[in-house]
């Protein structure tokens, strides 16, 4: 009887130990899943991003200096690729000078019809469509496009309203069949329905995939200018993400909660070699030392050139040419590094200021 009780105790202890080990392992798995779901800084990439990185190479000169030549070089890229993805430094005066010069170039509507931007909430795409087409849309209505995104306050810089207005003005001079289509690429978050960090997280996870839209796709073969922060556009992830053998669909491979909105692929480039990625640089960057042209800005090829081997100052232990096909360097003068912040007038509207404070509180405290 004693032997039986002793054996029972040993069995009980063994089973208890196994149970504790199982619970610990289960907790670890749950924690890992939660991390993958909610850490928007490291969203899961689809399997095909691991494919061989095929680069576009159409003989871009090593350096093209001066505003006119930079614009000319970027426009010429559209003759060889489907997508020109231009990395934007948020609030940069020089980057937005380049964007305005690019879209206002007389030949731009002949090169590309679609522009997809990070700084617009796709929930308000119908409003943006009416505005860009020249419709009578009150400012209080259209500014929801850039004010109500997943990024708080950044797009309140007057540069972004100016860009939307510039596209509208370009369209005013074009026949209906040639007008530019401006697409807001930020996930369709509705801040009226957000009451906690949990409500925001699915949209943050989703926005790690550039041009994460609801129901708008750019057909394969169409030419597209994509304007996003450079970090979103790195090779090989971004070019491969735009490539698919199927019609646009929900992106596979991401662990998202059931409440998460769907991830929609808006771009359909025929291959990763049809995507041209361009970053923007300014300040005392290592690339300054190897450039031959003294004129700024300068469009620099990063395919098979000395510049491709320069360390990327914004990304540790990486070369510029590993992540981008070209860069636009603005120099290190005061204007080159100038950032245009939101004006105080942006927050004179008490209701908007109160709403901004509420959103910031949700990010900081979770509710």
């Amino acid at each position: 009887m004693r032997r039986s009780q002793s054996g029972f105790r040993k069995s009980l202890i063994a089973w208890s130990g196994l149970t504790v080990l199982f619970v610990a392992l289960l907790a670890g798995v749950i924690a890992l899943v939660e991390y993958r779901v909610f850490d928007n800084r490291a969203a899961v990439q689809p399997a095909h991003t691991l494919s061989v990185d095929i680069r576009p190479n159409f003989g871009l000169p090593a350096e093209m200096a001066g505003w006119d030549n930079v614009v000319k070089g970027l426009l010429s890229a559209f003759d060889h690729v489907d997508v020109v993805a231009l990395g934007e430094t948020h609030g940069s005066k020089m980057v937005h000078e380049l964007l305005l010069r690019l879209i206002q170039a007389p030949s731009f509507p002949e090169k590309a019809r679609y522009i997809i931007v990070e700084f617009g909430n796709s929930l308000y795409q119908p409003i943006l469509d009416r505005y860009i087409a020249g419709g009578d849309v009150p400012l209080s209505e259209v500014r929801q496009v850039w004010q109500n995104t997943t990024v708080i306050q950044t797009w309140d810089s007057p540069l972004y309203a100016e860009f939307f207005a510039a596209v509208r003005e370009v369209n005013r001079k074009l026949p209906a069949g040639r007008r530019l289509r401006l697409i807001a690429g930020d996930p369709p978050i509705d801040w009226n329905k957000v009451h906690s960090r949990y409500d925001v997280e699915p949209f943050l996870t989703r926005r790690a995939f550039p041009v994460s839209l609801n129901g708008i796709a750019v057909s394969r073969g169409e030419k597209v200018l994509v304007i996003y922060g450079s970090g979103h556009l790195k090779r090989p992830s971004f070019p491969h993400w735009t490539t698919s053998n199927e019609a646009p669909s929900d992106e596979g491979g991401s662990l998202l909660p059931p409440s998460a909105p769907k991830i929609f692929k808006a771009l359909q480039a025929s291959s990763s070699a049809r995507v041209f990625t361009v970053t923007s640089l300014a300040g005392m960057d290592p690339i300054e030392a190897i450039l031959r042209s003294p004129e700024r800005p300068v469009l620099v090829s990063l395919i098979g050139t000395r510049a491709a081997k320069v360390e990327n100052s914004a990304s540790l232990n990486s070369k510029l040419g590993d992540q981008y096909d070209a860069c636009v360097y603005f120099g290190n003068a005061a204007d080159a590094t100038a950032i245009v912040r939101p004006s105080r007038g942006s927050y004179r509207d008490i209701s908007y200021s109160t709403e901004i404070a509420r959103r910031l509180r949700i990010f900081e405290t979770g509710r």
Side-chain angles (χ1 to χ4, degrees):
M1 182 71 175
R2 288 179 180 175
R3 287 182 179 178
S4 176
Q5 289 177 345
S6 176
F8 176 75
R9 289 195 190 98
K10 289 179 180 179
S11 298
L12 182 62
I13 292 171
W15 278 107
S16 297
L18 288 173
T19 302
V20 171
L21 180 60
F22 175 78
V23 171
L25 288 172
L26 182 61
V29 171
I30 292 172
L32 178 61
V33 170
E34 288 181 343
Y35 174 81
R36 293 183 70 189
V37 169
F38 292 115
D39 187 358
N40 60 291
R41 293 178 297 277
V44 179
Q45 295 295 315
H48 56 69
T49 62
L50 302 178
S51 305
V52 176
D53 187 18
I54 305 173
R55 309 293 288 269
N57 191 353
F58 48 87
L60 185 73
E63 297 179 20
M64 299 182 73
W67 284 112
D68 289 345
N69 284 325
V70 170
V71 170
K72 179 181 178 181
L74 293 174
L75 289 173
S76 71
F78 284 109
D79 296 332
H80 308 276
V81 300
D82 300 319
V83 179
V84 172
L86 183 57
E88 186 237 11
T89 302
H90 301 334
S92 166
K93 178 181 177 182
M94 289 294 99
V95 171
H96 278 261
E97 174 71 16
L98 173 59
L99 293 177
L100 293 181
R101 287 174 179 264
L102 186 60
I103 66 167
Q104 290 169 347
S107 63
F108 182 80
E110 300 169 4
K111 300 288 187 178
R113 187 177 171 215
Y114 290 86
I115 305 171
I116 302 181
V117 299
E118 178 183 8
F119 42 87
N121 184 341
S122 58
L123 181 69
Y124 303 100
Q125 186 65 47
I127 294 174
L128 181 58
D129 288 342
R130 297 201 315 271
Y131 177 73
I132 295 304
D136 186 12
V137 184
L139 179 61
S140 60
E141 190 174 351
V142 73
R143 66 187 178 192
Q144 295 178 94
V145 174
W146 61 85
Q147 286 186 340
N148 293 342
T149 68
T150 56
V151 180
I152 303 175
Q153 292 184 291
T154 299
W155 316 135
D156 284 333
S157 167
L159 294 176
Y160 299 98
E162 181 183 7
F163 180 81
F164 287 117
V167 176
R168 173 184 166 100
E169 182 61 20
V170 170
N171 276 345
R172 190 180 67 82
K173 302 172 183 177
L174 294 173
R178 291 184 55 209
R179 287 176 184 163
L180 304 178
R181 182 78 191 279
L182 182 56
I183 298 174
D186 199 59
I189 188 171
D190 185 346
W191 280 101
N192 293 322
K193 299 178 181 179
V194 171
H195 307 289
S196 70
R197 175 81 181 186
Y198 181 81
D199 298 329
V200 179
E201 289 290 358
F203 295 96
L204 298 182
T205 303
R206 175 176 168 169
R207 88 175 305 273
F209 297 88
V211 283
S212 181
L213 308 174
N214 252 6
I216 301 172
V218 177
S219 300
R220 186 170 297 176
E222 293 279 6
K223 306 289 184 170
V224 191
L225 172 65
V226 173
I227 305 168
Y228 263 71
S230 291
H232 292 279
L233 307 178
K234 292 178 181 178
R235 303 191 68 91
S237 294
F238 175 70
H240 285 310
W241 185 84
T242 67
T243 305
S244 172
N245 294 323
E246 301 176 358
S249 62
D250 300 339
E251 194 61 67
S254 296
L255 295 176
L256 297 174
S259 60
K262 295 179 179 179
I263 295 174
F264 187 89
K265 183 178 293 185
L267 291 173
Q268 289 293 290
S270 57
S271 77
S272 62
R274 300 285 296 178
V275 180
F276 188 65
T277 61
V278 186
T279 189
S280 55
L281 301 171
M284 293 299 293
D285 195 275
I287 201 170
E288 175 82 51
I290 70 161
L291 296 181
R292 295 179 178 178
S293 173
E295 191 174 1
R296 302 290 181 263
V298 55
L299 175 63
V300 184
S301 173
L302 299 177
I303 301 177
T305 63
R306 286 201 310 156
K309 299 178 181 179
V310 171
E311 292 286 338
N312 185 353
S313 59
S315 183
L316 295 176
N317 301 318
S318 63
K319 309 294 186 184
L320 276 174
D322 293 339
Q323 298 176 331
Y324 305 102
D325 302 315
C327 74
V328 178
Y329 178 60
F330 294 100
N332 55 29
D335 272 0
T337 58
I339 299 296
V340 180
R341 309 288 182 186
S343 65
R344 292 182 179 179
S346 302
Y347 306 109
R348 287 176 183 165
D349 184 332
I350 301 301
S351 62
Y352 181 55
S353 297
T354 303
E355 174 60 15
I356 288 296
R358 183 184 77 90
R359 296 176 191 177
L360 290 172
R361 186 170 64 251
I362 287 174
F363 272 93
E364 292 168 3
T365 68
R367 52 192 176 86

